[in-house]
Amino acid sequence: MKKMKAVFFTMLAVAALSVFLIQSGVSAQQPADQAKKQQQPKQAAAKPLVQAPDTVTPAPKMAFFPCSQCHAAMPANKTERALAFHTEIALKHMPAGWCFNCHDEKNRDKLKLANGDLIDYNDSAKLCGQCHGATLKEWQDGVHGKRTGMWNGKKVYENCLTCHDQHQPAFKAIKPLPAPEKPEKIIYKNKK
Amino acid sequence: MIKKTRKHPAGINVDRRTFLKGAALGLAGIALPPAGADAGLLDDFFQKHFREMNDEEVRKVIDRLEKEYSKKYSKDIKVKATKPMENVMFGYGLDIGRCIGCRRCVYACVEENNQSRDPQIHWISVLKMKKGSNLVDLNNSDKYYQPDQVPEPGYFYLPVQCQQCEDPPCVKVCPTKATWKDKDGIVVIDYNWCIGCRYCMAACPYGARRFNWGQPNIPADQINPNTHYLGNRPRPKGSVEKCTFCIQRTREGRYTACVEACPVGARKFGNLLDPNSEIRKAMEHFRVFRLKEDLNTRPQFFYFFGVKSNRPGGGK
C-alpha cells in the first residue's frame, strides 16, 4: 500500500513538474536542451495508438468546440477554483489535480501530455495512458475495452471516452433491458 | 456411423413417433409425405446428412431454402454454408468482473440470430448471483431480475450460453447425428435433421439449448437476411437451437454480435491458436475458469475475473 502511494505521488509530482516546466516556458538559457525536449515529445505524440489498418472510434462530440472561440481571448486562470462557466463539469477523477493536468493553458483546442506534447482530442487514449499505462496496454491488446470489426483483420477500437467520462470516469449504472418472459407466461398460440 | 433417420418435412403432419416406429421396422414408407406433396417437401424429406453432401448438393438445398425463406418474409434472404477456416479454433472469454448484467448481449443475439420473438426464445441467459456464491450451483441464481439500474451492489452477473464444449454431451446423445462439433470448435445443429427429441437439452449441463415448442415468429421487418445453414436461418417448429458463436459472422472473420454489443467490453472472442488474439491475451492475463469443470466437458467458453490492479492508487 505504501509503495503504491509512493508511486502515485511520484506520478503526480512528475505531472505537476512538467506542468510547471511548460508554464515557465523552459527558459531560454539552454537552447540545446530545449531542442532535445521538443524532439522527444514529438515522437511520443506521433506514435500511433493502434497499428494500421486498425482505427479508433472518435471521442464523443463536444458541446462547444473549438474551445478557442472563447479561450483565445481569455488569459488562462490557473487558480484551482469553482468555475462560473462549465458548471456541468464536476471533476471526480484523480484525488488531486485539476483541469491543466490534461488541458493546455495556451491552446485549449488540444490536450496536453505531461511532457508538454499537445495531442488531438481524438487521441486522448495517449493522455489516459500516461497514468493508466497498464490499462492502455490491455486496451491495445484488446483485453480492456472493446474492439469491433474483424477478429482476423481490421479492427475498430472503442475510444476510452465512449465508456468513461473524462471528468468522472467511473462507469455509470444503466437500465437493464427487459427480463426474459417466465415460461408460464409464454403462450404457444400455434402449438397443435 | 450415421443413421439414416429422416425428419418429417416441416408443415406436414406426420406424427414423429409413427415415423420413428416406421423407420425402426424398416417401413420408412409409412412416414412419407402424402402423394401430391410438392417437390420441395420431398427434396427436404430425402435430404442427405449435411456432412455427406457435396458442394453441389449443398448448393441445391440452399437454393431451395433461400426461395422458401425469401417468399415467407418477402425479402431477399441469403443462406450460406461457409466452411470452417484452416488453423482456427474459436474461443470465447467473459470477464464477470466487468459484466453489469444489462442484457444488451441477449437482445443483440436475438436480432442477429433470428430468435423467435413470440414465443420468446433467448440463447443467452444472464444469471444474477450473490457475491461470494458458488459458481458450481447455477440453480442458485435469478435470471428474471429487473431493477431500475444495474449493476446492483452485492451481486455479480453470469451470462450463460452454449459453451461449445470440446467433449459435448449433447452431441453424444443425438440419435440422428443432427448436431456435431465442427473443425473450428463450433457445435452446430442441422435443423433439417433434428427430430426434436430434446435428448441434447437434457444432456447439456449448462441449459444452453432451446426448443421451438411453437412455430417461431419473427416480424418480417426484423429478420436478419444474412444467414448460415447451420446458424441463424429461420428454424422450423420442433427443432432445437442454441448459440453458434454467430457462425454466419465469425466464419467470415467478424466478431460475434454479443461482443460488439457489450457496453463494458466484458466479452472477448478470437482464435485460440493465435497468440496475439485478445482471447489468448486475456487467458494469459487473468485467472481463467470454466463452468462445471468437474464434468470434463472442457468448454471453449472461458470466464475470468479481470484484476483491477491498474488504478494508479493501487486499486480498491
Side-chain angles (χ1 to χ4, degrees), chain B residues 29-78:
Chain B
I30 291 176
L32 273 180
D38 77 59
L41 289 177
L42 276 172
D43 286 347
D44 192 5
F45 196 83
F46 285 113
Q47 185 181 316
K48 272 202 219 166
H49 191 277
F50 189 76
R51 284 196 291 181
E52 289 182 341
M53 283 191 267
N54 62 31
D55 290 354
E56 176 57 28
E57 287 166 320
V58 168
R59 190 63 248 160
K60 267 198 189 141
V61 169
I62 280 175
D63 281 349
R64 196 178 77 228
L65 291 175
E66 281 182 344
K67 273 202 206 95
E68 182 191 315
Y69 299 151
S70 299
K71 195 167 143 215
K72 179 165 179 199
Y73 295 102
S74 318
K75 69 170 166 197
D76 218 12
I77 294 188
K78 284 264 152 301

Side-chain angles (χ1 to χ4, degrees), chain B residues 14-231:
Chain B
V14 180
D15 181 81
R16 268 173 220 291
R17 257 169 295 151
T18 314
F19 170 59
L20 282 175
K21 244 191 293 179
L25 294 170
L27 299 171
I30 291 176
L32 273 180
D38 77 59
L41 289 177
L42 276 172
D43 286 347
D44 192 5
F45 196 83
F46 285 113
Q47 185 181 316
K48 272 202 219 166
H49 191 277
F50 189 76
R51 284 196 291 181
E52 289 182 341
M53 283 191 267
N54 62 31
D55 290 354
E56 176 57 28
E57 287 166 320
V58 168
R59 190 63 248 160
K60 267 198 189 141
V61 169
I62 280 175
D63 281 349
R64 196 178 77 228
L65 291 175
E66 281 182 344
K67 273 202 206 95
E68 182 191 315
Y69 299 151
S70 299
K71 195 167 143 215
K72 179 165 179 199
Y73 295 102
S74 318
K75 69 170 166 197
D76 218 12
I77 294 188
K78 284 264 152 301
V79 181
K80 288 170 295 185
T82 325
K83 291 183 180 149
M85 291 182 200
E86 289 299 319
N87 300 319
V88 168
M89 183 51 86
F90 287 131
Y92 203 108
L94 206 155
D95 185 346
I96 55 180
R98 283 271 185 270
C99 176
I100 54 173
C102 70
R103 298 201 186 94
R104 300 290 185 274
C105 52
V106 174
Y107 289 90
C109 175
V110 166
E111 282 165 29
E112 169 67 31
N113 290 298
N114 293 324
Q115 271 131 275
S116 174
R117 311 301 202 270
D118 174 27
Q120 187 186 65
I121 287 189
H122 286 175
W123 288 355
I124 304 176
S125 298
V126 186
L127 309 181
K128 176 175 121 176
M129 302 178 94
K130 265 220 163 61
K131 275 193 176 147
S133 57
N134 190 346
L135 278 170
V136 175
D137 187 9
L138 299 184
N139 296 330
N140 196 5
S141 66
D142 173 16
K143 76 173 193 183
Y144 302 107
Y145 63 89
Q146 193 63 58
D148 282 341
Q149 300 227 299
V150 288
E152 301 156 272
Y155 292 93
F156 69 92
Y157 303 86
L158 182 80
V160 179
Q161 61 211 72
C162 174
Q163 308 278 306
Q164 317 289 355
C165 306
E166 226 178 295
D167 195 3
C170 53
V171 166
K172 287 188 214 159
V173 298
C174 179
T176 61
K177 298 276 191 288
T179 183
W180 65 90
K181 190 167 177 74
D182 246 351
K183 248 176 46 192
D184 52 3
I186 305 179
V187 174
V188 295
I189 303 171
D190 182 345
Y191 312 116
N192 283 22
W193 270 61
C194 172
I195 56 166
C197 69
R198 291 177 286 125
Y199 283 7
C200 56
M201 296 176 70
C204 175
Y206 307 100
R209 287 177 169 247
R210 303 285 181 269
F211 187 61
N212 285 287
W213 288 99
Q215 189 67 42
N217 247 309
I218 309 148
D221 60 333
Q222 289 174 32
I223 194 112
N224 173 7
N226 171 27
T227 77
H228 192 286
Y229 181 88
L230 299 171

Side-chain angles (χ1 to χ4, degrees), chain B residues 282-298:
Chain B
M283 287 171 78
E284 280 158 27
H285 226 81
F286 303 119
R287 250 185 28 226
V288 174
F289 67 94
R290 302 188 277 195
L291 290 184
K292 306 196 183 190
E293 198 101 51
D294 51 320
L295 298 179
N296 215 18
T297 49
R298 284 171 285 141

Side-chain angles (χ1 to χ4, degrees), chain A residues 20-191:
Chain A
F20 172 72
L21 282 178
I22 278 99
Q23 281 170 8
S24 56
V26 194
S27 58
Q29 314 151 316
Q30 296 166 310
D33 240 49
Q34 195 182 355
K36 206 168 126 213
K37 258 212 177 77
Q38 275 172 355
Q39 229 172 21
Q40 275 174 347
K42 285 242 164 53
Q43 278 168 359
K47 207 170 144 233
L49 272 170
V50 299
Q51 300 298 316
D54 295 354
T55 53
V56 183
T57 61
K61 264 234 157 355
M62 286 184 274
F64 7 68
F65 199 81
C67 320
S68 49
Q69 300 166 60
C70 302
H71 282 282
M74 280 170 55
N77 183 346
K78 282 170 264 179
T79 321
E80 206 172 314
R81 66 196 191 279
L83 296 177
F85 197 73
H86 304 307
T87 45
E88 74 286 359
I89 296 176
L91 199 57
K92 284 197 197 131
H93 193 157
M94 36 212 112
W98 203 52
C99 319
F100 297 123
N101 274 24
C102 305
H103 293 282
D104 185 54
E105 308 84 17
K106 295 195 193 76
N107 184 356
R108 226 45 79 87
D109 295 339
K110 297 276 185 184
L111 292 168
K112 180 187 61 187
L113 302 185
N115 63 11
D117 270 13
L118 297 189
I119 59 164
D120 205 76
Y121 275 95
N122 280 333
D123 283 342
S124 55
K126 286 179 188 163
L127 173 79
C128 317
Q130 301 177 111
C131 305
H132 304 292
T135 311
L136 178 66
K137 172 80 176 39
E138 283 178 15
W139 177 82
Q140 286 170 324
D141 282 349
V143 175
H144 188 91
K146 177 163 78 174
R147 303 195 293 202
T148 58
M150 312 288 282
W151 60 263
N152 66 353
K154 187 176 180 313
K155 296 174 177 50
V156 180
Y157 288 64
E158 205 72 64
N159 198 301
C160 314
L161 301 181
T162 332
C163 302
H164 300 291
D165 182 291
Q166 61 278 0
H167 303 126
Q168 295 184 25
F171 200 86
K172 312 257 176 322
I174 57 176
K175 193 173 166 50
L177 292 181
E181 283 167 30
K182 297 209 166 148
E184 63 269 25
K185 283 257 175 70
I186 301 182
I187 302 159
Y188 299 102
K189 296 182 197 89
N190 41 21
K191 189 176 168 190

